[in-house]
Amino acid sequence: MSNCDSCASKDGCNNKENCKLEDNKMKPKYGEIKNIIGVISGKGGVGKSTVTGILAIELKKAGYKVGVLDGDITGPSMPRFFGINEKRAEMIPLSKTDVKFTPVETKMGIKVISMNLLTKVEEEPVIWRGPVINGALNQIYEDTEWGELDYLLIDMPPGTGDVALTVMQNLPVKSMIVVSTPQDMVSMIVKKIVIMIGKMNLSILGVVENMSYIRCGNCNEKIRVFSKKSAEEQAKYLGIPLIKEMPIDLNLTESLEAGKVEEYIGSTTQYEDILNKIKFEL
Ligand code: ADP
């Protein structure tokens, strides 16, 4: 059934072109996903995967069914984030041409799929050209047994190139969250992403400014390490709302190294406000 067939206002609908575009987007074969959110940044190392992971845990804490698609095929990091890098996703052959992937569930029950869960060992590199990577990403999204999900978060491929374009064009992404750090050079590159998302007619929820400050252990003062400009100023430059300022958090780093990030985020309330702008009607 097409979106227009199921749409209550189809008689008075003046948006049939959009419905058609939505209809052409890929749907997962083994599950129903209510909302797909992309987490994106133009630059590596700013904390895109960290924000994706924190968001997934906070959504799970709030009672939603959550999945994570690691869209970074050549530099995947979500399995390490959740401490599930020793596990393997199952690849179940259904016919000569069809296969189904079973995501790995974290301790909290977040369903994660990543190229690093599909290779024999996590160190195995993926040495493919763009079109092959695109095909792999589409297939992983389509052929994973997601079951019913309220939210699928996509840790978006880096840059404004081929792979990011594929996700934006082919997958029914509801909205994007942009991740930046308080450095002019980073904001300039992140702005390219914001413009790209606009050109693709996708919506942006806002920007998470990561590594905004450290908190002084003695006086509790916020010290902005990278820039004197405020997070609001950076968001204004990007032309999108500020979702959250995230500090450099040593407890987070330690819990990541120990594979215990879910326990840590589960025990603190400091990241919960990241959900403020992203709860859609389900
Ligand atoms: P990206 O996905 O943008 O490449 P990552 O999320 O992998 O970046 O983060 C890069 C590194 O920085 C990781 O080792 C991560 O643990 C660390 N990191 C990210 N954000 C923070 C933070 N707010 N506090 C402490 N460490 C962080």
Side-chain angles (χ1 to χ4, degrees):
M1 182 162 51
S2 75
N3 281 355
C4 282
D5 290 338
S6 64
C7 173
S9 64
K10 64 181 170 183
D11 294 336
C13 177
N14 53 10
N15 204 14
K16 292 228 174 357
E17 274 314 303
N18 262 356
C19 284
K20 259 189 244 151
L21 284 177
E22 275 304 303
D23 274 353
N24 289 336
K25 303 247 169 166
M26 290 169 62
K27 305 213 165 51
K29 286 185 196 156
Y30 313 106
E32 284 284 328
I33 302 173
K34 290 184 182 156
N35 301 290
I36 300 184
I37 312 277
V39 183
I40 194 162
S41 170
K43 191 112 178 73
V46 300
K48 176 175 56 68
S49 307
T50 305
V51 170
T52 308
I54 291 174
L55 199 52
I57 295 171
E58 289 300 347
L59 282 166
K60 189 72 195 170
K61 268 166 74 181
Y64 295 105
K65 293 179 199 130
V66 185
V68 173
L69 169 62
D70 193 341
D72 196 343
I73 299 286
T74 52
S77 52
M78 291 320 305
R80 278 254 162 184
F81 179 90
F82 286 108
I84 52 170
N85 46 307
E86 298 291 324
K87 300 193 177 172
R88 298 292 89 197
E90 249 187 292
M91 248 186 274
I92 305 163
L94 301 176
S95 69
K96 274 189 183 156
T97 50
D98 273 339
V99 72
K100 185 166 74 173
F101 305 116
T102 330
V104 172
E105 283 201 28
T106 68
K107 281 176 230 155
M108 286 178 97
I110 297 167
K111 293 179 179 175
V112 183
I113 194 81
S114 165
M115 202 62 213
N116 255 16
L117 297 169
L118 292 165
T119 49
K120 272 199 193 105
V121 287
E122 64 165 342
E123 292 90 353
E124 195 174 312
V126 164
I127 311 170
W128 294 338
R129 293 191 191 275
V132 184
I133 296 177
N134 281 339
L137 188 55
N138 286 343
Q139 193 189 350
I140 292 173
Y141 160 75
E142 223 181 4
D143 294 349
T144 293
E145 192 165 27
W146 294 113
E148 268 189 33
L149 289 185
D150 295 318
Y151 289 96
L152 176 68
L153 303 181
I154 305 183
D155 185 13
M156 290 287 291
T160 52
D162 217 15
V163 193
L165 260 176
T166 295
V167 174
M168 291 186 196
Q169 277 177 335
N170 294 356
L171 274 50
V173 177
K174 198 161 221 171
S175 205
M176 290 279 181
I177 289 178
V178 173
V179 182
S180 189
T181 55
Q183 291 146 301
D184 285 348
M185 206 260 280
V186 174
S187 320
M188 179 272 290
I189 294 169
V190 171
K191 179 113 185 183
K192 290 179 194 285
I193 290 289
V194 172
I195 294 170
M196 176 190 185
I197 299 170
K199 284 186 193 287
M200 303 298 294
N201 285 326
L202 289 172
S203 79
I204 301 181
L205 287 164
V207 57
V208 173
E209 189 186 79
N210 190 26
M211 306 190 200
S212 294
Y213 59 90
I214 49 168
R215 188 73 78 178
C216 169
N218 293 323
C219 64
N220 210 28
E221 191 196 341
K222 275 184 183 179
I223 304 164
R224 285 185 66 83
V225 218
F226 293 123
S227 169
K228 286 189 177 145
K229 280 187 201 155
S230 68
E232 285 79 10
E233 273 177 272
Q234 296 280 14
K236 203 169 163 200
Y237 164 72
L238 294 173
I240 53 178
L242 176 66
I243 295 178
K244 181 171 176 62
E245 280 179 271
M246 268 187 20
I248 295 174
D249 181 353
L250 277 184
N251 293 326
L252 177 67
T253 319
E254 279 191 344
S255 67
L256 279 168
E257 308 261 301
K260 295 204 163 145
V261 75
E262 284 181 319
E263 285 86 337
Y264 171 58
I265 306 287
S267 68
T268 173
T269 53
Q270 66 170 317
Y271 292 106
E272 284 174 1
D273 55 353
I274 201 168
L275 290 194
N276 286 351
K277 293 202 175 68
I278 79 134
K279 282 192 208 146
F280 298 108
E281 256 176 60
L282 290 173

